[in-house]
């Protein structure tokens, strides 16, 4: 199988259930929490913008097989940056070039938007992910450390 009959387009309302499933599975993969109510609001807000900042990969015209988020943000110094996150391909569609197609679309959008730098969270446990981003000239800048406070406080 190849990615030839896979097209990349902006997220639409009708893709909601499939994208929710992808992001929910991604959260599960990394043992992160997923709040369905919040996610719905988050995506509804995206749909109100001219550009929703979420690309989907669609196979055969109707099956959503992957998604990626790409946003233009500003850091506290006022400097703009592009941010690519939550790239996820359906389990049975991985390794066919779809992740790369999505990443290229996100990079193209952010490059044309003129951001001076693009950041991405890359999970180093995921070999395919590291390879894909390094192939597209991402270099490791810093590491994110996580602390999970006890739920009932100190
Ligand atoms: C990481 C992920 C997005 C890559 O998408 P994909 O469609 O499977 O990858 P592609 O087929 O486009 O391959 C891209 C490159 O990675 C390589 N690759 C694919 N699977 C690989 C694997 N399991 N191990 C090592 N390299 C791999 C490919 O060979 C290709 O490199 P090449 O062009 O030099 O040959 C996808 O595997 C995925 O959804 N993984 C689980 C979710 C995840 O970890 N997301 C990141 C969250 S932050």
């Amino acid at each position: 199988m190849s990615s030839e009959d896979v097209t990349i387009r902006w997220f639409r309302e009708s893709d909601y259930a499939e994208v929710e499933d992808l992001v929910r599975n991604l959260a599960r993969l990394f043992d992160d929490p997923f709040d369905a109510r919040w996610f719905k609001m988050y995506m509804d807000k995206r749909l109100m913008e001219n550009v929703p900042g979420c690309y989907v990969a669609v196979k055969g015209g109707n099956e959503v097989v992957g998604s990626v988020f790409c946003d233009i943000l500003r850091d506290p110094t006022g400097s703009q940056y592009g941010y690519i996150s939550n790239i996820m391909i359906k389990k049975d569609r991985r390794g066919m070039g779809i992740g790369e197609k999505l990443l290229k679309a996100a990079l193209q959008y952010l490059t044309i938007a003129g951001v001076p730098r693009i950041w991405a969270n890359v999970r180093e446990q995921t070999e395919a992910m590291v390879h894909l981003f390094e192939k597209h000239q991402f270099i490791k800048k810093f590491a994110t450390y996580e602390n999970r406070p006890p739920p009932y406080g100190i």
Side-chain angles (χ1 to χ4, degrees):
M1 273 193 277
S2 79
S3 67
E4 266 166 38
D5 66 336
V6 171
T7 51
I8 308 294
R9 60 162 172 74
W10 288 119
F11 167 76
R12 294 178 190 150
E13 199 168 3
S14 56
D15 305 321
Y16 184 77
E18 286 160 297
V19 173
E20 195 216 59
D21 203 47
L22 284 163
V23 176
R24 186 191 289 274
N25 284 331
L26 183 62
R28 191 174 297 140
L29 201 63
F30 294 107
D31 194 25
D32 286 332
F34 181 84
D35 181 333
R37 223 176 107 232
W38 190 87
F39 187 70
K40 178 78 172 75
M41 287 190 293
Y42 177 73
M43 295 309 280
D44 282 347
K45 185 165 172 285
R46 286 181 176 271
L47 285 168
M48 287 183 214
E49 309 292 342
N50 290 337
V51 163
C54 171
Y55 278 119
V56 290
V58 182
K59 189 165 175 65
N62 57 17
E63 182 198 357
V64 174
V65 292
S67 58
V68 66
F69 290 75
C70 44
D71 294 293
I72 298 168
L73 305 172
R74 267 183 206 278
D75 71 16
T77 68
S79 167
Q80 260 192 336
Y81 62 100
Y83 181 58
I84 297 178
S85 65
N86 292 281
I87 185 161
M88 177 71 167
I89 309 300
K90 263 188 179 176
K91 204 168 182 176
D92 59 342
R93 305 289 190 193
R94 291 182 196 157
M96 297 174 193
I98 301 171
E100 183 162 37
K101 262 193 167 180
L102 275 170
L103 177 61
K104 278 183 177 168
L107 284 172
Q108 190 180 39
Y109 161 64
L110 294 171
T111 303
I112 289 170
V115 294
R117 60 208 163 115
I118 300 172
W119 284 355
N121 278 342
V122 175
R123 311 265 183 171
E124 287 182 321
Q125 321 80 305
T126 316
E127 209 184 309
M129 174 92 178
V130 173
H131 178 81
L132 181 59
F133 279 77
E134 285 183 347
K135 185 178 170 189
H136 289 274
Q137 288 77 51
F138 281 79
I139 50 167
K140 184 169 175 178
K141 179 126 185 189
F142 40 57
T144 301
Y145 285 57
E146 183 181 77
N147 174 315
R148 297 195 176 190
Y152 303 110
I154 49 172

